Amino acid sequence: MIKTYIIERGSWIILFIALQLLTLFIGAIDPSISIRPVIYIVFLSTLILILFVVFRYQKETAFHKSLQTWDRDDDITDIKKPSSPFEKIVAERLDELTTTYKNEISQHSTEMELEKDELLAWVHEVKTPLTAMQLMIDRVEDKSVKQQLRYEWLRIYLLLDQQLHQNRIPFIENDLYIEETSLEPLIFQEIKALQSWCMRKGIGFDVSLQVEEVLTDAKWFAFIIRQLLTNAIKYTESDDIAITSYREHQQTILIIEDHGRGIDAKDVPRIFDRGFTSTTTHQDTASSGMGLYLVKNTAKPLHIRIDVQSKPFEGTTFTLTFPSKNEFVTITGM
């Protein structure tokens, strides 16, 4: 700040030095003027200038220092009250911009809430005709046509379900209810929901659960399983998907392993990023890049750690590590 202040007041300091040099020059060339009094005057003037600069530095930089330490939020009360006319102009302009900023943020927040509510309402409305379509599909006699219709119905249902949970995730902590959840019925329910897709691709499941219960929120954990199974089925052809659970270091481990196309090593750190699909099969439009992103954001408030191991053309393994009971103390609703 000192360097900045000197640069800001540099023209005034240069003018003062020039005037002092001019005074010394006149005292030196004019024989009628004694040089000693001139030097004395210049010395006193320089001393007064130094004291004046120190005083003005403290006074003039206080406002700017408060701007530097300001957190840049919408509260400007932490900024020091301006003392000079120019500082008042800056403060007034800053106050106007902050007020405008607050109004725009409030307007955008209201619009986003309205859009979110409208989208959620739309998703719920669409589920009604989907249910009717499912009943109609069940009455189709042609098995090949029925299977194709069920597959297309499932794709629509999964997209709507993903959209619904995507809008709910920002408020997930208000919806958590942690309890002992049975793994087997939950997993088999999700497998059954994906049955038509699995039959179409010739995919089976090998389920071996040494630990049958975990401490979690059943509804949101079911969404995680649904997304991971959907991801595994999407990239697997005519093979089994293994689901196992066991206990290790007082924590429950759940593993979902497929033998699909796998993930390239350079892509593994990015698979949970929003919108990321793949660098090796970038032209593939089947992936939206949202499934694993939503899984990551759902697992975080549930305190579930997810690790991934994968090799191209060999398969992918997702390892879910559940927290111990003590780790849920911070979660509301427990």
Coordinates of all heavy atoms in Angstrom, one line a residue, residues 218-299:
A218 N -32.9 -44.9 2.9 CA -33.3 -45.9 1.9 C -33.6 -45.3 0.6 O -33.2 -45.9 -0.5 CB -34.5 -46.8 2.5
K219 N -34.3 -44.2 0.6 CA -34.8 -43.6 -0.7 C -33.6 -43.1 -1.5 O -33.5 -43.4 -2.7 CB -35.8 -42.5 -0.4 CG -36.3 -41.8 -1.7 CD -37.4 -40.8 -1.3 CE -36.9 -39.7 -0.5 NZ -37.9 -38.6 -0.3
W220 N -32.7 -42.4 -0.9 CA -31.6 -41.8 -1.6 C -30.6 -42.8 -1.9 O -29.9 -42.8 -3.0 CB -31.0 -40.6 -0.8 CG -31.9 -39.4 -0.9 CD1 -32.7 -39.0 0.1 CD2 -32.0 -38.5 -1.9 NE1 -33.4 -37.8 -0.3 CE2 -32.9 -37.5 -1.6 CE3 -31.4 -38.4 -3.2 CZ2 -33.3 -36.4 -2.4 CZ3 -31.7 -37.3 -4.0 CH2 -32.7 -36.4 -3.6
F221 N -30.4 -43.8 -1.1 CA -29.5 -44.9 -1.4 C -30.0 -45.7 -2.6 O -29.2 -46.2 -3.4 CB -29.2 -45.8 -0.2 CG -28.3 -47.0 -0.4 CD1 -27.0 -46.8 -0.8 CD2 -28.8 -48.3 -0.3 CE1 -26.2 -47.9 -1.1 CE2 -28.0 -49.4 -0.6 CZ -26.7 -49.1 -1.0
A222 N -31.3 -45.9 -2.7 CA -31.9 -46.6 -3.8 C -31.6 -45.9 -5.1 O -31.3 -46.5 -6.1 CB -33.4 -46.8 -3.6
F223 N -31.6 -44.6 -5.0 CA -31.2 -43.8 -6.2 C -29.8 -44.0 -6.6 O -29.5 -44.1 -7.8 CB -31.5 -42.3 -5.9 CG -31.0 -41.4 -7.0 CD1 -31.7 -41.3 -8.2 CD2 -29.9 -40.6 -6.9 CE1 -31.3 -40.5 -9.3 CE2 -29.5 -39.7 -7.9 CZ -30.2 -39.7 -9.1
I224 N -28.9 -44.1 -5.7 CA -27.5 -44.3 -6.0 C -27.3 -45.7 -6.7 O -26.6 -45.8 -7.7 CB -26.6 -44.3 -4.7 CG1 -26.5 -42.8 -4.1 CG2 -25.2 -44.8 -5.0 CD1 -25.8 -42.7 -2.8
I225 N -28.0 -46.7 -6.1 CA -27.9 -48.1 -6.7 C -28.5 -48.1 -8.1 O -27.9 -48.7 -9.0 CB -28.7 -49.1 -5.8 CG1 -27.9 -49.2 -4.4 CG2 -28.8 -50.4 -6.5 CD1 -26.6 -49.8 -4.5
R226 N -29.6 -47.4 -8.3 CA -30.2 -47.3 -9.6 C -29.3 -46.7 -10.6 O -29.2 -47.2 -11.7 CB -31.5 -46.5 -9.5 CG -32.4 -46.5 -10.7 CD -33.7 -45.7 -10.4 NE -34.2 -46.0 -9.0 CZ -34.6 -45.1 -8.2 NH1 -34.6 -43.8 -8.5 NH2 -35.1 -45.4 -7.0
Q227 N -28.6 -45.6 -10.2 CA -27.7 -45.0 -11.2 C -26.5 -45.8 -11.5 O -26.1 -45.9 -12.7 CB -27.2 -43.6 -10.6 CG -28.3 -42.6 -10.5 CD -29.0 -42.3 -11.8 OE1 -28.3 -42.0 -12.8 NE2 -30.3 -42.3 -11.9
L228 N -25.9 -46.5 -10.5 CA -24.8 -47.4 -10.7 C -25.1 -48.6 -11.5 O -24.4 -49.0 -12.4 CB -24.2 -47.8 -9.4 CG -23.5 -46.6 -8.5 CD1 -23.0 -47.2 -7.2 CD2 -22.4 -46.0 -9.3
L229 N -26.3 -49.2 -11.3 CA -26.7 -50.3 -12.1 C -27.0 -49.9 -13.5 O -26.7 -50.6 -14.4 CB -28.0 -51.0 -11.4 CG -27.8 -51.7 -10.1 CD1 -29.1 -52.3 -9.6 CD2 -26.7 -52.8 -10.2
T230 N -27.7 -48.8 -13.6 CA -28.0 -48.2 -15.0 C -26.7 -48.0 -15.8 O -26.6 -48.4 -16.9 CB -28.7 -46.9 -14.9 OG1 -30.0 -47.1 -14.2 CG2 -29.0 -46.3 -16.3
N231 N -25.7 -47.5 -15.1 CA -24.4 -47.2 -15.7 C -23.7 -48.6 -16.1 O -23.1 -48.7 -17.2 CB -23.5 -46.5 -14.8 CG -22.3 -45.8 -15.5 OD1 -22.5 -44.8 -16.2 ND2 -21.1 -46.3 -15.2
A232 N -23.8 -49.6 -15.2 CA -23.2 -50.9 -15.5 C -23.9 -51.6 -16.7 O -23.2 -52.1 -17.6 CB -23.2 -51.7 -14.3
I233 N -25.2 -51.5 -16.7 CA -26.0 -52.2 -17.7 C -25.7 -51.5 -19.1 O -25.6 -52.2 -20.1 CB -27.5 -52.2 -17.4 CG1 -27.8 -53.0 -16.2 CG2 -28.3 -52.7 -18.6 CD1 -29.2 -52.8 -15.6
K234 N -25.6 -50.2 -19.1 CA -25.5 -49.4 -20.3 C -24.2 -49.9 -21.1 O -24.2 -49.9 -22.3 CB -25.4 -48.0 -20.0 CG -25.4 -47.0 -21.2 CD -25.2 -45.6 -20.8 CE -26.4 -45.1 -20.0 NZ -26.3 -43.7 -19.6
Y235 N -23.1 -50.2 -20.4 CA -21.9 -50.5 -21.0 C -21.5 -52.0 -20.9 O -20.3 -52.3 -21.0 CB -20.8 -49.6 -20.4 CG -21.1 -48.1 -20.6 CD1 -21.4 -47.4 -19.4 CD2 -21.2 -47.5 -21.8 CE1 -21.7 -46.0 -19.6 CE2 -21.5 -46.2 -21.9 CZ -21.8 -45.4 -20.8 OH -22.1 -44.1 -21.0
T236 N -22.4 -52.8 -20.6 CA -22.2 -54.3 -20.5 C -23.0 -55.0 -21.6 O -24.2 -54.7 -21.8 CB -22.5 -54.8 -19.1 OG1 -21.6 -54.1 -18.2 CG2 -22.1 -56.3 -19.0
E237 N -22.4 -56.1 -22.1 CA -23.2 -56.9 -23.1 C -23.0 -58.4 -22.7 O -21.9 -58.9 -22.6 CB -22.6 -56.7 -24.5 CG -22.8 -55.3 -25.1 CD -24.2 -54.9 -25.4 OE1 -25.0 -55.9 -25.6 OE2 -24.5 -53.7 -25.6
S238 N -24.2 -59.0 -22.5 CA -24.2 -60.5 -22.3 C -23.3 -61.0 -21.3 O -22.4 -61.9 -21.5 CB -24.0 -61.2 -23.7 OG -24.9 -60.8 -24.6
D239 N -23.3 -60.4 -20.1 CA -22.5 -60.8 -19.0 C -23.2 -60.5 -17.7 O -24.2 -59.9 -17.6 CB -21.1 -60.1 -19.1 CG -20.0 -60.9 -18.5 OD1 -20.2 -61.7 -17.6 OD2 -18.9 -60.7 -19.0
D240 N -22.6 -61.0 -16.6 CA -23.2 -60.8 -15.3 C -22.6 -59.6 -14.6 O -21.4 -59.3 -14.8 CB -23.0 -62.1 -14.4 CG -23.8 -63.3 -14.8 OD1 -24.7 -63.0 -15.6 OD2 -23.6 -64.4 -14.3
I241 N -23.4 -59.0 -13.8 CA -23.0 -57.9 -12.9 C -23.0 -58.5 -11.5 O -24.0 -59.0 -11.0 CB -23.9 -56.7 -13.0 CG1 -23.8 -56.1 -14.4 CG2 -23.5 -55.6 -12.0 CD1 -24.8 -55.1 -14.7
A242 N -21.8 -58.4 -10.8 CA -21.7 -58.9 -9.4 C -21.9 -57.8 -8.4 O -21.4 -56.7 -8.5 CB -20.3 -59.6 -9.3
I243 N -22.7 -58.2 -7.4 CA -23.0 -57.3 -6.3 C -22.7 -58.0 -5.0 O -23.3 -59.0 -4.7 CB -24.4 -56.8 -6.3 CG1 -24.8 -56.1 -7.6 CG2 -24.7 -55.8 -5.1 CD1 -26.2 -55.7 -7.7
T244 N -21.7 -57.5 -4.2 CA -21.3 -58.2 -3.0 C -21.2 -57.2 -1.9 O -21.0 -56.0 -2.1 CB -19.9 -58.9 -3.2 OG1 -18.9 -57.9 -3.6 CG2 -20.0 -60.0 -4.2
S245 N -21.3 -57.7 -0.7 CA -21.1 -56.8 0.5 C -20.4 -57.6 1.6 O -20.5 -58.9 1.7 CB -22.5 -56.4 1.1 OG -23.2 -57.4 1.6
Y246 N -19.6 -56.9 2.4 CA -18.8 -57.5 3.5 C -18.5 -56.5 4.5 O -18.7 -55.3 4.3 CB -17.6 -58.3 3.0 CG -16.6 -57.4 2.2 CD1 -15.6 -56.8 2.9 CD2 -16.7 -57.2 0.9 CE1 -14.7 -56.0 2.3 CE2 -15.8 -56.4 0.2 CZ -14.8 -55.8 0.9 OH -13.9 -55.0 0.2
R247 N -18.0 -56.9 5.6 CA -17.6 -56.0 6.7 C -16.1 -55.9 6.8 O -15.4 -56.9 6.7 CB -18.2 -56.6 8.0 CG -18.1 -55.6 9.2 CD -19.3 -54.7 9.1 NE -19.4 -53.9 10.3 CZ -20.1 -52.8 10.4 NH1 -20.9 -52.4 9.4 NH2 -20.2 -52.1 11.5
E248 N -15.6 -54.7 7.0 CA -14.1 -54.5 7.1 C -13.9 -53.3 7.9 O -14.4 -52.2 7.6 CB -13.5 -54.3 5.7 CG -12.0 -54.2 5.7 CD -11.4 -54.1 4.3 OE1 -11.5 -53.0 3.7 OE2 -11.0 -55.1 3.8
H249 N -13.1 -53.4 9.0 CA -12.7 -52.3 9.9 C -14.0 -51.6 10.4 O -14.1 -50.4 10.4 CB -11.8 -51.3 9.2 CG -10.6 -51.9 8.6 ND1 -9.7 -52.6 9.4 CD2 -10.1 -52.0 7.3 CE1 -8.7 -53.0 8.7 NE2 -8.9 -52.7 7.4
Q250 N -15.0 -52.4 10.8 CA -16.2 -51.9 11.4 C -17.0 -51.0 10.4 O -17.9 -50.2 10.8 CB -15.9 -51.0 12.7 CG -15.3 -51.9 13.8 CD -15.1 -51.1 15.1 OE1 -15.2 -49.9 15.1 NE2 -14.9 -51.8 16.2
Q251 N -16.7 -51.2 9.1 CA -17.5 -50.5 8.1 C -18.0 -51.5 7.1 O -17.4 -52.5 6.8 CB -16.6 -49.5 7.4 CG -16.3 -48.2 8.2 CD -15.4 -47.2 7.5 OE1 -14.4 -47.6 6.9 NE2 -15.8 -46.0 7.5
T252 N -19.2 -51.2 6.5 CA -19.8 -52.1 5.5 C -19.3 -51.6 4.1 O -19.3 -50.5 3.8 CB -21.3 -52.0 5.6 OG1 -21.7 -52.5 6.9 CG2 -21.9 -52.9 4.5
I253 N -18.9 -52.6 3.3 CA -18.4 -52.4 2.0 C -19.4 -53.0 1.0 O -19.7 -54.2 1.1 CB -17.0 -52.9 1.7 CG1 -16.0 -52.5 2.9 CG2 -16.5 -52.5 0.4 CD1 -15.8 -51.1 2.9
L254 N -19.8 -52.3 0.0 CA -20.7 -52.8 -1.1 C -20.0 -52.6 -2.4 O -19.5 -51.5 -2.7 CB -22.0 -52.1 -1.1 CG -23.0 -52.6 -2.1 CD1 -23.5 -54.0 -1.8 CD2 -24.2 -51.6 -2.2
I255 N -19.9 -53.7 -3.2 CA -19.2 -53.6 -4.4 C -20.1 -54.0 -5.6 O -20.9 -55.0 -5.5 CB -18.0 -54.6 -4.4 CG1 -17.0 -54.2 -3.4 CG2 -17.3 -54.7 -5.8 CD1 -15.8 -55.1 -3.3
I256 N -20.1 -53.1 -6.6 CA -20.8 -53.4 -7.8 C -19.8 -53.5 -9.0 O -19.1 -52.5 -9.3 CB -21.8 -52.3 -8.1 CG1 -22.9 -52.2 -7.0 CG2 -22.6 -52.5 -9.5 CD1 -23.9 -51.0 -7.2
E257 N -19.7 -54.7 -9.5 CA -18.7 -55.0 -10.5 C -19.3 -55.5 -11.8 O -20.1 -56.4 -11.8 CB -17.7 -56.1 -10.0 CG -16.6 -56.4 -10.9 CD -15.6 -57.5 -10.3 OE1 -16.0 -58.0 -9.3 OE2 -14.6 -57.8 -10.9
D258 N -18.9 -54.8 -12.9 CA -19.4 -55.3 -14.2 C -18.1 -55.6 -15.1 O -17.0 -55.4 -14.7 CB -20.2 -54.2 -14.9 CG -19.4 -53.0 -15.3 OD1 -18.5 -53.1 -16.2 OD2 -19.6 -51.9 -14.7
H259 N -18.4 -56.3 -16.2 CA -17.4 -56.7 -17.1 C -17.6 -56.0 -18.5 O -17.5 -56.7 -19.5 CB -17.3 -58.2 -17.2 CG -17.0 -58.9 -15.9 ND1 -15.8 -59.0 -15.4 CD2 -17.9 -59.5 -15.0 CE1 -15.9 -59.6 -14.2 NE2 -17.1 -59.9 -14.0
G260 N -17.9 -54.8 -18.5 CA -18.2 -54.0 -19.7 C -17.0 -53.4 -20.3 O -15.9 -53.9 -20.2
R261 N -17.2 -52.3 -21.0 CA -16.1 -51.7 -21.8 C -15.1 -51.0 -21.0 O -14.0 -50.7 -21.4 CB -16.7 -50.8 -22.8 CG -17.1 -49.4 -22.3 CD -17.7 -48.6 -23.4 NE -18.0 -47.2 -23.0 CZ -18.6 -46.3 -23.7 NH1 -19.2 -46.6 -24.8 NH2 -18.8 -45.1 -23.2
G262 N -15.4 -50.8 -19.7 CA -14.4 -50.2 -18.8 C -14.2 -48.7 -19.1 O -14.8 -48.1 -19.9
I263 N -13.3 -48.1 -18.3 CA -13.0 -46.7 -18.4 C -11.5 -46.5 -18.6 O -10.7 -47.1 -17.9 CB -13.5 -45.9 -17.1 CG1 -14.9 -46.2 -16.9 CG2 -13.2 -44.4 -17.2 CD1 -15.4 -45.7 -15.5
D264 N -11.1 -45.6 -19.4 CA -9.7 -45.3 -19.6 C -9.1 -44.7 -18.4 O -9.8 -43.9 -17.7 CB -9.5 -44.4 -20.8 CG -8.0 -44.3 -21.3 OD1 -7.3 -43.6 -20.6 OD2 -7.7 -45.0 -22.2
A265 N -7.8 -45.0 -18.0 CA -7.2 -44.5 -16.8 C -7.2 -43.0 -16.7 O -7.4 -42.5 -15.6 CB -5.8 -45.1 -16.7
K266 N -7.0 -42.3 -17.8 CA -7.0 -40.8 -17.7 C -8.4 -40.2 -17.5 O -8.5 -39.1 -17.1 CB -6.4 -40.3 -19.0 CG -7.2 -40.5 -20.3 CD -6.5 -39.8 -21.5 CE -7.3 -39.9 -22.7 NZ -7.4 -41.4 -23.2
D267 N -9.5 -41.0 -17.7 CA -10.8 -40.6 -17.5 C -11.4 -40.8 -16.1 O -12.3 -40.1 -15.7 CB -11.8 -41.2 -18.5 CG -11.5 -40.7 -19.9 OD1 -10.9 -39.7 -20.1 OD2 -12.0 -41.3 -20.9
V268 N -10.8 -41.8 -15.4 CA -11.3 -42.2 -14.1 C -11.4 -41.0 -13.1 O -12.4 -40.8 -12.5 CB -10.4 -43.3 -13.5 CG1 -10.8 -43.6 -12.0 CG2 -10.6 -44.6 -14.3
P269 N -10.4 -40.1 -13.0 CA -10.6 -39.0 -12.0 C -11.7 -38.0 -12.4 O -12.1 -37.2 -11.6 CB -9.2 -38.3 -12.1 CG -8.2 -39.3 -12.7 CD -9.1 -40.1 -13.6
R270 N -12.2 -38.1 -13.6 CA -13.2 -37.1 -14.1 C -14.6 -37.6 -14.2 O -15.5 -36.9 -14.6 CB -12.7 -36.5 -15.5 CG -11.3 -35.9 -15.5 CD -10.9 -35.5 -16.9 NE -11.8 -34.5 -17.5 CZ -11.8 -34.1 -18.7 NH1 -10.9 -34.7 -19.6 NH2 -12.7 -33.3 -19.2
I271 N -14.8 -38.9 -14.0 CA -16.1 -39.5 -14.3 C -17.2 -38.9 -13.4 O -18.4 -39.0 -13.7 CB -16.1 -41.0 -14.1 CG1 -15.7 -41.4 -12.7 CG2 -15.1 -41.6 -15.1 CD1 -15.8 -42.9 -12.4
F272 N -16.9 -38.3 -12.2 CA -17.9 -37.7 -11.4 C -18.1 -36.3 -11.6 O -18.9 -35.6 -10.9 CB -17.5 -37.9 -9.9 CG -17.5 -39.4 -9.4 CD1 -16.4 -40.1 -9.2 CD2 -18.8 -40.0 -9.2 CE1 -16.4 -41.4 -8.8 CE2 -18.8 -41.3 -8.8 CZ -17.6 -42.0 -8.6
D273 N -17.4 -35.7 -12.6 CA -17.6 -34.3 -13.0 C -18.9 -34.1 -13.8 O -19.3 -35.0 -14.6 CB -16.4 -33.8 -13.8 CG -15.1 -33.8 -13.0 OD1 -15.2 -33.9 -11.8 OD2 -14.1 -33.6 -13.6
R274 N -19.5 -33.0 -13.6 CA -20.8 -32.7 -14.2 C -20.6 -32.6 -15.8 O -19.7 -31.9 -16.2 CB -21.4 -31.4 -13.7 CG -22.7 -31.0 -14.3 CD -23.1 -29.6 -13.9 NE -24.4 -29.3 -14.4 CZ -25.6 -29.3 -13.7 NH1 -25.5 -29.6 -12.5 NH2 -26.7 -28.9 -14.3
G275 N -21.4 -33.4 -16.5 CA -21.3 -33.4 -17.9 C -20.2 -34.2 -18.6 O -20.2 -34.2 -19.8
F276 N -19.3 -34.8 -17.8 CA -18.2 -35.5 -18.4 C -18.7 -36.8 -18.9 O -19.4 -37.6 -18.2 CB -17.1 -35.7 -17.5 CG -15.9 -36.5 -18.0 CD1 -15.0 -35.9 -18.9 CD2 -15.7 -37.8 -17.7 CE1 -14.0 -36.6 -19.4 CE2 -14.7 -38.5 -18.2 CZ -13.8 -37.9 -19.1
T277 N -18.3 -37.2 -20.2 CA -18.7 -38.5 -20.7 C -17.5 -39.4 -20.9 O -17.3 -40.3 -20.1 CB -19.5 -38.3 -22.1 OG1 -18.7 -37.5 -22.9 CG2 -20.8 -37.6 -21.9
S278 N -16.7 -39.1 -21.9 CA -15.5 -39.9 -22.2 C -14.7 -39.2 -23.2 O -15.1 -38.5 -24.0 CB -16.0 -41.3 -22.7 OG -14.8 -42.1 -23.1
T279 N -13.4 -39.5 -23.1 CA -12.4 -39.0 -24.1 C -12.1 -40.1 -25.2 O -11.8 -39.7 -26.3 CB -11.1 -38.6 -23.5 OG1 -10.5 -39.7 -22.8 CG2 -11.3 -37.4 -22.5
T280 N -12.3 -41.3 -24.9 CA -12.0 -42.4 -25.8 C -13.2 -42.6 -26.8 O -13.0 -43.0 -27.9 CB -11.6 -43.7 -25.1 OG1 -12.7 -44.0 -24.2 CG2 -10.3 -43.5 -24.4
T281 N -14.4 -42.5 -26.2 CA -15.6 -42.7 -27.1 C -16.4 -41.4 -27.0 O -17.6 -41.4 -26.6 CB -16.4 -43.9 -26.6 OG1 -16.8 -43.7 -25.2 CG2 -15.7 -45.2 -26.8
H282 N -15.8 -40.3 -27.4 CA -16.4 -39.0 -27.2 C -17.7 -38.8 -28.1 O -18.5 -38.0 -27.9 CB -15.4 -37.9 -27.5 CG -15.8 -36.6 -26.9 ND1 -16.0 -36.3 -25.6 CD2 -16.1 -35.4 -27.5 CE1 -16.3 -35.1 -25.4 NE2 -16.4 -34.5 -26.6
Q283 N -17.7 -39.6 -29.2 CA -18.8 -39.5 -30.1 C -20.1 -40.3 -29.6 O -21.1 -40.2 -30.2 CB -18.4 -40.0 -31.5 CG -18.3 -41.5 -31.6 CD -16.9 -42.0 -31.0 OE1 -16.1 -41.3 -30.5 NE2 -16.7 -43.3 -31.1
D284 N -19.9 -41.0 -28.5 CA -21.1 -41.7 -28.0 C -22.1 -40.8 -27.4 O -21.7 -40.1 -26.4 CB -20.5 -42.8 -27.0 CG -21.7 -43.7 -26.4 OD1 -22.8 -43.6 -27.0 OD2 -21.4 -44.4 -25.5
T285 N -23.3 -40.8 -27.9 CA -24.3 -39.9 -27.4 C -25.2 -40.6 -26.4 O -26.2 -40.0 -25.9 CB -25.2 -39.4 -28.5 OG1 -25.8 -40.5 -29.2 CG2 -24.3 -38.6 -29.5
A286 N -24.9 -41.8 -26.0 CA -25.8 -42.5 -25.0 C -25.7 -42.0 -23.6 O -26.6 -42.1 -22.8 CB -25.4 -44.0 -25.0
S287 N -24.5 -41.4 -23.3 CA -24.3 -40.9 -22.0 C -24.5 -39.4 -21.9 O -24.2 -38.6 -22.8 CB -22.8 -41.2 -21.6 OG -22.5 -40.7 -20.3
S288 N -25.2 -39.0 -20.8 CA -25.5 -37.6 -20.5 C -24.4 -36.9 -19.7 O -24.4 -35.7 -19.5 CB -26.8 -37.4 -19.9 OG -26.9 -38.0 -18.6
G289 N -23.6 -37.8 -19.0 CA -22.6 -37.2 -18.1 C -23.2 -36.7 -16.8 O -22.5 -36.0 -16.0
M290 N -24.4 -37.1 -16.4 CA -25.1 -36.6 -15.2 C -25.2 -37.7 -14.2 O -25.3 -37.4 -13.0 CB -26.4 -36.1 -15.6 CG -26.4 -34.8 -16.4 SD -25.5 -33.4 -15.6 CE -26.6 -33.2 -14.1
G291 N -25.3 -39.0 -14.6 CA -25.6 -40.0 -13.6 C -24.6 -40.1 -12.5 O -25.0 -40.1 -11.3
L292 N -23.3 -40.2 -12.8 CA -22.3 -40.4 -11.7 C -22.1 -39.1 -11.0 O -21.7 -39.1 -9.8 CB -20.9 -40.8 -12.3 CG -21.0 -42.3 -12.9 CD1 -19.6 -42.6 -13.5 CD2 -21.4 -43.3 -11.8
Y293 N -22.3 -37.9 -11.7 CA -22.3 -36.6 -11.0 C -23.3 -36.6 -9.9 O -23.1 -36.1 -8.8 CB -22.5 -35.5 -12.0 CG -22.7 -34.2 -11.4 CD1 -21.7 -33.4 -10.8 CD2 -24.0 -33.6 -11.4 CE1 -22.0 -32.2 -10.3 CE2 -24.3 -32.4 -10.8 CZ -23.3 -31.7 -10.3 OH -23.5 -30.4 -9.7
L294 N -24.5 -37.1 -10.2 CA -25.6 -37.1 -9.2 C -25.3 -38.1 -8.1 O -25.7 -37.9 -6.9 CB -26.9 -37.4 -9.9 CG -27.4 -36.4 -10.9 CD1 -28.7 -36.9 -11.6 CD2 -27.6 -35.0 -10.3
V295 N -24.7 -39.2 -8.5 CA -24.3 -40.2 -7.4 C -23.3 -39.6 -6.4 O -23.5 -39.7 -5.2 CB -23.6 -41.4 -8.1 CG1 -22.9 -42.3 -7.1 CG2 -24.7 -42.2 -8.9
K296 N -22.3 -38.8 -6.9 CA -21.4 -38.2 -6.0 C -22.0 -37.2 -5.1 O -21.8 -37.2 -3.9 CB -20.3 -37.5 -6.9 CG -19.2 -36.8 -6.0 CD -18.4 -35.9 -6.9 CE -19.2 -34.6 -7.3 NZ -18.3 -33.6 -8.0
N297 N -23.0 -36.4 -5.6 CA -23.6 -35.4 -4.8 C -24.6 -36.0 -3.9 O -25.0 -35.4 -2.8 CB -24.3 -34.4 -5.7 CG -23.3 -33.4 -6.3 OD1 -23.0 -32.4 -5.7 ND2 -22.9 -33.7 -7.5
T298 N -25.2 -37.2 -4.2 CA -26.1 -37.9 -3.3 C -25.3 -38.6 -2.2 O -25.7 -38.6 -1.0 CB -26.9 -38.9 -4.0 OG1 -27.6 -38.2 -5.1 CG2 -27.9 -39.5 -3.1
A299 N -24.1 -39.2 -2.5 CA -23.4 -39.9 -1.6 C -22.7 -39.1 -0.5 O -22.5 -39.5 0.6 CB -22.3 -40.7 -2.3

